[in-house]
Amino acid sequence: MKNRKFMLLFILGLVAVSIVIILTKPTKLGLDLIGGSRLVLEAQKPANVSKITDEMMNSLQFAIENRVNKLGVAETLVQRVGEDRLLVEIPNISDPQKAKEYLGETAELEFKEQKMGFNGEPTWVSTGLSGKDLSKATVGTDSVGHWTVLLQFNDKGSKKFADLTARLVGKPMAIFFNGELQSAPVIQEPILGGSAQISGGQEGFTIEEVRKNVDLLNAGALPIPAKIIEENSVGPTLGLDSIEKSKIAGMVGLALVMLFMLIYYRVPGIIANIALLIYGLIIFAIFKVVPITLTLAGIAGFILSIGMAVDANILIFERTKEELKAGRTLFTAINAGFDRAFTSIFDSNMTTIITCMILYLLGTSIVKGFALTLAIGVMVSMFTAITVTKNFMHLLFGTGQLKNPGWFGLKKEQIKKMFEVADTDPRKAKLGVLD
């Protein structure tokens, strides 16, 4: 009895925590619900590369993720599609064209020195110092107030820059940005601080150009070129409409399930409905804590898991009714019903979870959302169907004989009597006769 009361307090505490989480944490919505852009990028094979490898694609995916994160766009998905393509989903972005520019452009920074070419004319050649040696780039101004890009090199880049400026004292060192010569100052003395600036040439930079260049430099160059070959946009109005339809579908489905449980299973059906509401609170709180980005497919998985949760209760109640028909006490019938139904419930749910794992590992982003929410829902449903429902049934029905068969949707004539233990008359016992 103490264990059941402790479990009841634990369940009530879990419900309270779930409600607090639901009320305080925001819900993460996917692209199809909140609106945004979906881009497909195709890797372009460089001239000096015979084949695009998995390593190149992984590096490209990592670089694209960094770029999108620098834009401050939340809940962005970057996923491999095929051998040489990436799917980029950017929810809730107000300017898709800006995202396309940042994803496709490469900020190439390179420092060059002047040498004589084969024809006797001076030419600029690479020094080995480039944007890969940067630690960060920031917005700044020069001595006359023009906008500049301030560069801070990492440890390796600072040493390169110090050695380079020491070697080129009295000679020009050119700064090329995106293939264009920005400036070629003459080095007066070695620069040991590991910093430099790009002034933007004679015309200078506008503040918009400086900010864009700073963001691109901080995001890093793409390891291989990539071209946007497809773009789809989802408007926020369509997303809101999908949310409303999903709410209606969820509420109608839940109401029909609860009505069926109430009509067919009576009082246990009420307990199952309470457990179902607890299930909904717990799983929604888990979605917010993890956090899981809800998409239409994810909502479908969640609604399907409601049916899985009810399925477990149906198996348990049918087993319990069979035990009650055999004349067992309430306590024995409830325990036997749960014990005998557990194997079927466990096997069914494990089969579903294994399928979800396969879908998650091999499926696309939409399929992954469905598989993840369904798997979490199935695991939570096992807890609510077995632990919550069993605890509530024991607390409500007690341990005696079933006095009101109608509570379980049964009739009195369906309940058999168990064998009763009685003392045999001693005189009959001498003759070997048992009562």
Side-chain angles (χ1 to χ4, degrees):
M1 188 68 180
K2 289 183 179 180
N3 290 337
R4 289 198 292 272
K5 288 183 177 179
F6 174 78
M7 182 56 68
L8 177 62
L9 292 176
F10 173 76
I11 293 170
L12 294 177
L14 194 60
V15 170
V17 172
S18 299
I19 293 174
V20 171
I21 292 173
I22 291 172
L23 294 177
T24 56
K25 283 188 171 290
T27 304
K28 297 172 65 175
L29 300 178
L31 180 71
D32 50 0
L33 297 178
I34 202 172
S37 294
R38 182 182 289 113
L39 308 173
V40 177
L41 279 70
E42 185 178 62
Q44 306 296 304
K45 186 172 66 176
N48 59 342
V49 174
S50 59
K51 182 182 178 181
I52 297 176
T53 63
D54 286 340
E55 185 178 353
M56 292 180 181
M57 288 302 299
N58 290 335
S59 299
L60 179 62
Q61 181 178 356
F62 181 75
I64 292 294
E65 287 175 346
N66 282 341
R67 286 189 168 216
V68 176
N69 290 335
K70 294 295 182 181
L71 290 174
V73 181
E75 316 309 330
T76 298
L77 172 70
V78 182
Q79 180 182 346
R80 286 276 299 273
V81 179
E83 294 183 357
D84 59 352
R85 293 184 179 182
L86 292 176
L87 172 65
V88 183
E89 293 184 346
I90 311 174
N92 201 22
I93 186 168
S94 58
D95 188 2
Q97 186 61 35
K98 178 181 178 182
K100 289 172 61 178
E101 292 175 359
Y102 276 90
L103 290 177
E105 282 192 43
T106 301
E108 297 179 354
L109 175 67
E110 193 171 11
F111 292 81
K112 297 184 178 183
E113 61 179 309
Q114 197 173 58
K115 289 189 176 180
M116 300 302 295
F118 293 108
N119 55 3
E121 295 184 1
T123 183
W124 296 108
V125 297
S126 177
T127 61
L129 183 65
S130 66
K132 296 180 180 180
D133 299 305
L134 279 181
S135 172
K136 66 177 180 179
T138 56
V139 176
T141 56
D142 58 17
S143 58
V144 293
H146 293 157
W147 293 109
T148 62
V149 178
L150 300 180
L151 308 175
Q152 182 64 47
F153 296 100
N154 54 32
D155 292 341
K156 186 178 179 180
S158 297
K159 187 177 184 306
K160 283 185 181 180
F161 191 62
D163 294 341
L164 184 62
T165 53
R167 181 166 58 84
L168 295 179
V169 171
K171 298 179 181 179
M173 183 179 67
I175 301 175
F176 281 80
F177 192 72
N178 286 337
E180 295 183 2
L181 176 64
Q182 299 297 321
S183 61
V186 176
I187 306 300
Q188 302 296 331
E189 60 183 9
I191 303 175
L192 306 178
S195 60
Q197 73 174 19
I198 306 174
S199 60
Q202 296 180 350
E203 297 181 359
F205 289 130
T206 64
I207 183 60
E208 290 79 12
E209 290 174 330
V210 169
R211 286 174 178 169
K212 179 180 177 181
N213 292 333
V214 165
D215 288 339
L216 288 172
L217 285 169
N218 286 329
L222 299 180
I224 54 176
K227 179 182 178 183
I228 298 174
I229 61 172
E230 184 180 334
E231 177 192 4
N232 295 311
S233 296
V234 177
T237 304
L238 179 60
L240 291 173
D241 184 57
S242 300
I243 293 175
E244 291 302 318
K245 289 182 178 179
S246 299
K247 286 181 180 178
I248 294 173
M251 287 188 291
V252 170
L254 184 61
L256 291 176
V257 168
M258 295 177 73
L259 183 62
F260 167 79
M261 295 298 292
L262 180 61
I263 293 174
Y264 195 79
Y265 291 103
R266 310 294 172 83
V267 177
I270 296 175
I271 295 175
N273 290 340
I274 295 173
L276 201 59
L277 293 176
I278 294 174
Y279 159 81
L281 292 173
I282 294 174
I283 193 171
F284 196 39
I286 291 174
F287 287 167
K288 291 197 171 192
V289 169
V290 171
I292 293 174
T293 302
L294 282 179
T295 62
L296 278 176
I299 293 175
F302 168 63
I303 294 175
L304 179 59
S305 67
I306 294 176
M308 301 289 290
V310 174
D311 178 62
N313 281 317
I314 289 174
L315 288 173
I316 292 167
F317 294 160
E318 288 297 329
R319 288 285 189 179
T320 303
K321 286 169 69 174
E322 290 176 5
E323 299 299 323
L324 289 171
K325 288 178 181 179
R328 297 186 186 277
T329 63
L330 280 166
F331 181 82
T332 305
I334 291 171
N335 280 343
F338 276 87
D339 292 341
R340 294 186 176 184
F342 178 78
T343 303
S344 300
I345 295 170
F346 182 80
D347 291 346
S348 173
N349 288 341
M350 284 305 299
T351 304
T352 304
I353 291 172
I354 291 171
T355 304
C356 290
M357 290 174 61
I358 296 172
L359 291 175
Y360 188 84
L361 293 174
L362 302 180
T364 61
S365 60
I366 297 176
V367 176
K368 283 185 176 183
F370 171 81
L372 182 60
T373 54
L374 178 58
I376 294 176
V378 168
M379 288 186 284
V380 174
S381 71
M382 287 188 66
F383 168 76
T384 55
I386 295 173
T387 304
V388 176
T389 304
K390 185 177 182 179
N391 190 73
F392 283 1
M393 287 185 71
H394 276 313
L395 288 173
L396 180 62
F397 294 117
T399 58
Q401 291 288 340
L402 178 62
K403 297 180 180 179
N404 297 293
W407 286 3
F408 282 81
L410 298 174
K411 297 178 181 178
K412 287 187 177 181
E413 54 267 23
Q414 292 179 291
I415 309 297
K416 297 179 181 180
K417 289 186 178 180
M418 296 292 289
F419 291 106
E420 295 181 358
V421 178
D423 292 332
T424 302
D425 190 320
R427 290 173 295 179
K428 292 183 179 180
K430 290 180 180 180
L431 300 175
V433 178
L434 300 178
D435 290 333

